Amino acid sequence: MDRTRLFVASCVSLVTTAMVFAIRGDVAGDMAAAFHLTNEQLGLIFSPAFWCFTIAIFVSGALIDAVGMRALHVASAVGYAVGIALIVLAARPSAPVASIFDHAGTIMLYAGFMIMGLSQGLVEGVINPLIATVYNDRKTQRLNMLHAWWPGGMIVGGLVAVALTHLGARWEVKLATILVPAFVYLAMALALRYPKTERVQNEVPDRDMWREALRPGFVLLFCVMWLTAAIELGPDQWFPAVMQGLAPSMQGVMYLVYTAGLVFVLRTFASGVAHKSPVATLLVCSILAGLGLFWLGHLEPGVTSVGVALTAATVFGVGKSFLWPTMLGLTSERYPRGGALLMCLMGGAGMASVAIALPIMGARIDRFGPGAALQMMAVLAIPLAIVFGGLLITGARRAARARLA
């Protein structure tokens, strides 16, 4: 078993997943024009990608030990190819349609994005338990390094889209570039030998794995994941538009690229910090993320300088850097008998949280403005700080008693 190549294959598959998010947003306008879609219809076509992402993560937790990590990893790459083929080859309606289900072409669009959402969920459902298994001595550190390629993939996808736009490429070409990393990790997955999950290797029975999901400590982490994912990923979807309004002298998307680059660097080169003290890392990051969002929410739209906006964005960027992968690492380290199931439950909770947070933030923006939406998300840092602070104090007391014993 070559764990280095397995790690690289996992990183490439996460890049693929992130590129979908970046390029899908870039081609939305051209796609809507080509298929005569309203914004409401386009949102309906995109929506299954998010929910199927979540469903696939949950389902893979139950399937992974039965069919194997390799089979699901391969299936995810094939799913990208099938989904993109359906979208690119879909017949264009000659006029607007009353419902997306009234025309074969728009039905193919819907199905294509649904399949791609399933592929994205399968990737997340495979790579987290895979890395926790092959790097069981450095779970939190390696999971942070792995998830550095989420913002890395967003940057790659964004830059590819910008470059192809300047070259005059059609939206179909932009979407098809996702196949490049998909085929790379497909080839790697077919050639590599995957291990059984850590839980199976340790011969933990299925009933014990499911029992771990009911332990109070895991239930607490599961509930907290809804908040950490919302405070980290919810604002990201609105960041370019919000920052453009705050400091219009710099293109809004560049703020997203900047924070994504910051997260990439920190997860890649500073992940050892999270490995040494994951709970303390989560506490500090939650506070910084909340402070950053609160600061951004109080900036005056239209007149804020780029320097001030970047400083506030930096505080938020540093804060969100370690939240998602450290939550996964902490879960795997504290509840290894829960295996892939618990990690997939955590990942699924995170994606479901984002899917719920996005429309809530959107409604807040429509009613009160972007500042109020960011301030609303900043409030989530308060319960997070209380929970992580409590866990840190409890852990310190247990360590003290152990030393005295």
Side-chain angles (χ1 to χ4, degrees), residues 56-57 60-61 64 72 120-130 340 344:
I57 296 176
S60 59
I64 198 167
L72 292 182
Q120 290 175 297
L122 287 177
V123 167
E124 187 76 18
V126 169
I127 62 177
N128 291 325
L130 173 61
C344 289

Side-chain angles (χ1 to χ4, degrees), residues 27 71 80 93 123 174 182 188 190 192-193 204 218 229 231 237 279 293 323 325 356 366 396 399 401:
V27 304
Y80 282 127
V123 167
K174 295 180 184 179
M188 295 184 72
L190 291 172
L192 290 169
R193 182 170 64 87
V204 176
F218 172 73
I231 201 173
Q237 300 298 304
V279 177
L293 288 175
L323 291 176
I356 293 170
D366 289 338
R401 286 198 298 267

Side-chain angles (χ1 to χ4, degrees), residues 243 245-249 255 295-296 298-310:
M243 297 305 291
L246 287 174
S249 55
Y255 290 99
W295 188 358
L296 287 167
H298 278 80
L299 295 178
E300 190 173 354
V303 298
T304 300
S305 69
V306 171
V308 172
L310 276 176

Side-chain angles (χ1 to χ4, degrees), residues 60 62-75 122 125-126 194-197:
S60 59
L63 287 179
I64 198 167
D65 291 323
V67 303
M69 289 186 278
R70 181 171 179 263
L72 292 182
H73 212 182
V74 168
L122 287 177
V126 169
Y194 284 63
K196 295 183 181 299
T197 62

Side-chain angles (χ1 to χ4, degrees), residues 7-138:
F7 180 78
V8 172
S10 299
C11 291
V12 175
S13 60
L14 193 56
V15 166
T16 309
T17 299
M19 284 181 66
V20 173
F21 276 86
I23 293 176
R24 181 175 57 211
D26 181 78
V27 304
D30 291 337
M31 187 184 303
F35 287 84
H36 304 284
L37 299 170
T38 66
N39 287 328
E40 181 181 1
Q41 290 173 328
L42 190 63
L44 182 60
I45 285 171
F46 284 169
S47 63
F50 291 94
W51 289 109
C52 287
F53 194 134
T54 305
I55 291 169
I57 296 176
F58 283 134
V59 171
S60 59
L63 287 179
I64 198 167
D65 291 323
V67 303
M69 289 186 278
R70 181 171 179 263
L72 292 182
H73 212 182
V74 168
S76 69
V78 173
Y80 282 127
V82 173
I84 290 173
L86 286 173
I87 295 166
V88 171
L89 298 176
R92 275 63 163 169
S94 58
V97 293
S99 167
I100 63 169
F101 301 108
D102 288 343
H103 191 275
T106 50
I107 291 175
M108 288 176 68
L109 278 186
Y110 186 88
F113 282 111
M114 180 178 68
I115 292 171
M116 289 175 69
L118 291 171
S119 289
Q120 290 175 297
L122 287 177
V123 167
E124 187 76 18
V126 169
I127 62 177
N128 291 325
L130 173 61
I131 298 307
T133 296
V134 298
Y135 290 99
N136 57 10
D137 56 334
R138 290 177 288 161

Side-chain angles (χ1 to χ4, degrees), residues 164 253 322 362:
L164 289 175
V253 72
F322 297 114

